[in-house]
């Protein structure tokens, strides 16, 4: 859905010395390895469009590590449409190692100071570092208060990335700083939530780590002298790595490159795995494979699940229409199973950014983003397939457009996901409970035909059907016990997540009609953090 956004994505590249040269290194020159970051980030642009950046390492320049970042897409920040400017930028920042980041914010402002990577300068090379972060710390407020109990400590930004920077700085500033693996072990005891990290220091040391719960995906690959990592496998595949070279980093593990030597090791023993199921059904690129499970195959199976529970009469006027773009695989599969056409009755304008229509009302935004085709829709019984419904405002406007402009005879909404009933505190920008569409109809109960009928009436659909929760594990191909499904069943995999949900429930019960805030905004408002 256009109402739902991910927090960010990370990437890293390193030319390892004393290994067979990789043909994937640009022009065979180790110094140009850093150029690969822009390519990696472009392939994970789906994970964040607000800002992008990279930090590179080069022992032959005064700025041993140096950071380029700004607000904008990868194309804008790295000047990909202006070859001369891009080449100059790559020359300035060339080096054998680099990390990168794309950002969408669940907290914090949309300005350059919040763009990542975050770099911390220091005269001592081991304490001069930069890092990028994918996820969200559910115990952000607790860590804020802990840091600010020291009178000479200060937080300049309202973001958990700065919290993480302070914690890393503290570990590196100890009289006898721990090895990077041990530092991660220490940090893991203080952090709650999702926190995949790419790190690079002025000694040329790097680590790539995945949190012990494994909420967010992280993939890596080797080819001779070239090491690369990214939030999604598609970025590595498009760089030229073979499928067998690309692997998912297990939860609680890190890859550390120190003194040119690479080691993969567990830094924290996972007590529970909780891969975010939304990665497969919505966020990840359909070409990616995460934790050995294909995103495309998952969505194909979701479509088959939708087809199996279909009850609307199927005739020559019945068509399946996906809401572009992430629902297309499920819609194609559903239509194939039902033996009806899957047609693009809605065309999405891919050249309109979110900011362009920020001031418009929801109906105007939908009109600008989607164009219904009456030559496809007129007089048809439309099975409209969507990934999920969050607040329902976009869906309501879409149905109106399909009937008014598209002249569809009927619109039956089919959601390739169970109802969203709770916010996410691990890196997905979701509403408060009272803003979500489903809870007000379910009221703590189970889905029933009567509830679905009331939901359909509320959004102007002829009928509405969701998938049951059991469909998710079957489609992903992993046990339900290894998936985070908190937004559909309120079972949060970490202690701070459970605490935040209780706050969210209390806020929903005490709602006085004022403008709603996300739970982590509300809880942080009582903290002394200032921007």
């Amino acid at each position: 859905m256009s109402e739902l956004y991910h927090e960010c994505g990370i990437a890293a590249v390193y030319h390892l010395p004393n290994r067979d040269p990789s043909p994937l290194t640009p022009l065979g020159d180790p110094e140009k390895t850093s150029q690969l970051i822009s390519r990696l980030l472009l392939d994970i642009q789906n994970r964040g469009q607000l800002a992008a950046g990279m930090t590179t390492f080069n022992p032959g320049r005064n700025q041993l590590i140096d950071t380029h970042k700004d607000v904008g897409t990868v194309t804008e920040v790295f000047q990909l449409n202006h070859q001369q400017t891009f080449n100059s930028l790559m020359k300035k920042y060339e080096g054998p190692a680099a990390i990168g980041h794309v950002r969408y914010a669940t907290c914090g402002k949309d300005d350059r100071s919040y763009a990542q990577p975050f770099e911390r300068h220091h005269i001592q090379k081991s304490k001069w570092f930069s890092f990028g972060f994918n996820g969200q710390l559910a115990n952000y407020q607790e860590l804020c208060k802990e840091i600010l109990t020291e009178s000479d400590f200060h937080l300049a930004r309202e973001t958990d990335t700065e919290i993480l920077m302070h914690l890393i700085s503290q570990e590196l500033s100890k009289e006898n700083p721990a090895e990077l693996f041990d530092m991660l072990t220490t940090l893991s005891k203080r952090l709650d939530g999702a926190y995949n990290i790419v790190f690079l220091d002025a000694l040329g040391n790097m680590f790539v780590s995945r949190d012990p719960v494994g909420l967010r995906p992280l993939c890596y690959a080797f080819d001779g002298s070239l090491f690369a990592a990214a939030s999604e496998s598609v970025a590595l595949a498009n760089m030229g790595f073979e499928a067998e070279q690309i692997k998912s980093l297990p939860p609680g593990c890190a890859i550390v490159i120190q003194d040119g030597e690479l080691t993969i090791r567990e830094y924290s023993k996972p007590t529970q795995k909780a891969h975010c199921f939304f990665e497969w059904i919505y966020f990840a690129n359909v070409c990616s494979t995460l934790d050995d499970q294909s995103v495309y195959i998952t969505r194909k199976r979701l479509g088959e699940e939708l087809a199996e529970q279909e009850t609307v009469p199927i005739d020559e006027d019945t068509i399946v229409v996906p809401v572009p773009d992430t629902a297309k695989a499920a819609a194609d599969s559903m239509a194939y199973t039902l033996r009806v056409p899957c047609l693009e009755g809605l065309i999405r304008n891919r050249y309109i950014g979110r900011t362009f229509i920020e001031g418009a009302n929801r109906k105007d935004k939908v009109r600008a983003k989607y164009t219904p085709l009456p030559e496809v829709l007129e007089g048809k019984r439309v099975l409209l397939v969507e990934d999920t419904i969050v607040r329902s405002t976009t869906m309501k406007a879409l149905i109106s457009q399909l009937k008014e402009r598209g002249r569809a005879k009927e619109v039956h909404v089919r959601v390739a996901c169970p109802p969203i009933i709770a916010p996410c505190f691990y890196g997905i920008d979701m509403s408060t409970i009272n803003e979500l569409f489903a809870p007000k109809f379910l009221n703590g109960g189970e889905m029933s035909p009567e509830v679905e009928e009331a939901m359909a009436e509320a959004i102007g659909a002829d009928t509405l059907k969701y998938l049951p929760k059991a469909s998710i594990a079957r489609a992903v191909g992993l046990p339900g016990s290894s998936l985070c499904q908190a937004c559909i069943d309120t079972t949060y995999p970490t202690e701070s997540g459970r605490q935040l949900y209780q706050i969210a429930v209390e806020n929903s019960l005490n709602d006085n009609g004022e403008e709603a805030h996300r739970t982590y905004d509300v809880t942080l408002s009582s903290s002394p953090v200032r921007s």
Side-chain angles (χ1 to χ4, degrees):
M1 284 294 291
S2 58
E3 299 172 332
L4 206 57
Y5 302 101
H6 200 286
E7 188 171 7
C8 50
I10 52 177
V13 290
Y14 205 109
H15 185 277
L16 299 163
N18 306 318
R19 297 202 181 196
D20 293 336
S22 169
L24 304 182
T25 304
L27 302 177
D29 184 354
E31 297 297 304
K32 298 189 184 302
T33 301
S34 55
Q35 291 186 14
L36 297 170
I37 280 291
S38 61
R39 288 180 55 185
L40 289 171
L41 295 182
L42 197 61
D43 281 321
I44 57 172
Q45 181 78 87
N46 55 295
R47 305 183 74 83
Q49 298 86 45
L50 289 185
M54 71 174 181
T55 298
T56 68
F57 166 74
N58 192 326
R61 66 188 181 208
N62 288 335
Q63 292 294 324
L64 297 174
I65 59 172
D66 205 1
T67 301
H68 172 76
K69 62 181 181 179
D70 210 340
V71 172
T73 63
V74 174
T75 297
E76 293 166 336
V77 172
F78 290 92
Q79 299 290 304
L80 297 183
N81 288 335
H82 305 278
Q83 185 172 355
Q84 187 172 351
T85 308
F86 170 75
N87 290 340
S88 297
L89 190 66
M90 292 300 101
K91 179 66 177 174
K92 178 181 177 181
Y93 289 96
E94 70 179 11
I99 59 174
H101 189 272
V102 289
R103 178 177 187 255
Y104 175 78
T106 53
C107 60
K109 298 180 179 178
D110 299 346
D111 62 43
R112 186 183 181 279
S113 70
Y114 283 82
Q116 296 183 44
F118 273 23
E119 183 181 341
R120 183 203 187 226
H121 282 264
H122 201 283
I123 194 171
Q124 194 170 338
K125 289 191 285 186
S126 61
K127 298 177 183 177
W128 180 4
F129 69 90
S130 182
F131 77 101
F133 164 52
N134 170 212
Q136 185 175 324
L137 299 180
N139 62 335
Y140 171 28
Q141 184 191 22
E142 177 186 333
L143 293 170
C144 277
K145 291 179 179 178
E146 182 181 324
I147 288 172
L148 293 174
T149 55
E150 298 288 339
S151 60
D152 60 342
F153 283 7
H154 175 69
L155 295 171
R157 306 172 189 87
E158 294 178 353
T159 170
D160 48 4
T161 309
E162 185 170 20
I163 296 292
L164 195 52
M165 182 171 70
H166 277 268
L167 296 179
I168 293 173
S169 298
Q170 288 174 4
E171 292 301 314
L172 294 177
S173 297
K174 290 179 177 177
E175 186 173 345
N176 295 304
E179 294 292 322
L180 293 178
F181 278 114
D182 296 330
M183 181 186 75
L184 283 167
T185 300
T186 301
L187 287 175
S188 69
K189 296 173 182 176
R190 303 180 67 183
L191 304 178
D192 182 299
Y195 51 94
N196 290 357
I197 304 170
V198 286
F199 170 98
L200 182 63
D201 70 16
L203 291 168
N205 298 323
M206 174 185 284
F207 74 72
V208 175
S209 66
R210 189 177 183 191
D211 76 73
V213 178
L215 280 153
R216 300 282 150 238
L218 190 56
C219 303
Y220 68 94
F222 300 97
D223 184 81
S225 57
L226 184 64
F227 162 77
S231 291
E232 296 188 31
S233 67
V234 64
L236 302 174
N238 286 349
M239 185 185 290
F241 288 101
E242 299 294 333
E244 60 271 16
Q245 295 175 316
I246 303 171
K247 304 180 185 303
S248 287
L249 186 63
C253 288
I255 300 170
V256 171
I257 301 173
Q258 200 158 9
D259 300 324
E261 295 296 322
L262 185 147
T263 307
I264 303 177
R265 204 170 80 201
E266 186 177 83
Y267 70 87
S268 179
K269 187 73 175 176
T271 57
Q272 175 187 2
K273 293 181 181 179
H275 312 294
C276 172
F277 82 94
F278 250 114
E279 292 285 355
W280 284 278
I281 73 166
Y282 177 74
F283 284 117
N285 188 306
V286 73
C287 302
S288 285
T289 297
L290 311 175
D291 293 310
D292 301 322
Q293 305 302 315
S294 164
V295 175
Y296 173 79
I297 295 300
T298 295
R299 295 177 188 174
K300 173 180 176 290
R301 290 170 180 162
L302 291 171
E304 292 166 353
E305 295 268 348
L306 284 173
E308 286 179 11
Q309 67 175 27
E310 189 52 67
T311 57
V312 166
I314 304 298
D315 58 25
E316 61 182 10
D317 288 330
T318 304
I319 62 172
V320 172
V321 173
V323 176
D325 290 308
T326 52
K328 191 174 187 311
D332 285 342
S333 177
M334 179 186 183
Y336 181 82
T337 304
L338 293 176
R339 300 184 182 278
V340 298
C342 183
L343 303 177
E344 293 192 63
L346 273 174
I347 304 300
R348 180 170 176 253
N349 185 342
R350 293 169 177 80
Y351 304 102
I352 293 182
R354 288 189 299 115
T355 53
F356 177 80
I357 51 177
E358 192 63 36
N361 62 41
R362 179 61 61 178
K363 194 167 185 177
D364 287 341
K365 288 182 180 182
V366 170
R367 187 185 296 271
K369 279 192 171 186
Y370 301 100
T371 301
L373 300 180
E375 54 266 49
V376 172
L377 301 165
E378 187 169 7
K380 299 296 184 181
R381 176 183 292 117
V382 176
L383 301 176
L384 183 67
V385 178
E386 178 57 301
D387 315 276
T388 187
I389 297 177
V390 184
R391 289 180 283 274
S392 82
T393 47
T394 293
M395 178 56 69
K396 193 181 301 184
L398 269 178
I399 294 168
S400 174
Q401 293 296 311
L402 289 171
K403 290 188 172 183
E404 293 173 12
R405 298 174 64 193
R407 300 192 287 275
K409 178 176 65 175
E410 299 172 8
V411 177
H412 302 269
V413 176
R414 299 297 179 256
V415 187
C417 176
I420 303 298
I421 60 173
C424 174
F425 306 118
Y426 303 120
I428 298 175
D429 186 5
M430 280 190 181
S431 309
T432 61
I433 293 175
N434 286 349
E435 285 183 300
L436 295 171
F437 174 63
K440 63 178 69 74
F441 294 94
L442 291 168
N443 198 25
E446 297 293 325
M447 184 63 73
S448 67
E450 293 75 23
V451 170
E452 287 183 335
E453 185 178 348
M455 287 178 164
E457 184 178 353
I459 60 175
D462 291 271
T463 63
L464 168 68
K465 284 187 180 295
Y466 286 93
L467 283 180
K469 180 185 168 185
S471 297
I472 297 301
R474 287 195 296 265
V476 174
L478 291 173
S481 59
S482 70
L483 296 173
C484 178
Q485 302 178 94
C487 58
I488 61 175
D489 66 6
T490 74
T491 303
Y492 292 84
T494 70
E495 181 59 34
S496 291
R498 291 187 283 271
Q499 292 173 2
L500 286 176
Y501 177 64
Q502 291 307 312
I503 294 172
V505 171
E506 292 170 11
N507 289 340
S508 70
L509 296 175
N510 297 325
D511 184 10
N512 57 9
E514 296 179 356
E515 182 181 356
H517 297 279
R518 294 165 297 183
T519 303
Y520 32 90
D521 291 336
V522 174
T523 57
L524 289 174
S525 65
S526 60
S527 74
V529 180
R530 295 289 182 269
S531 60

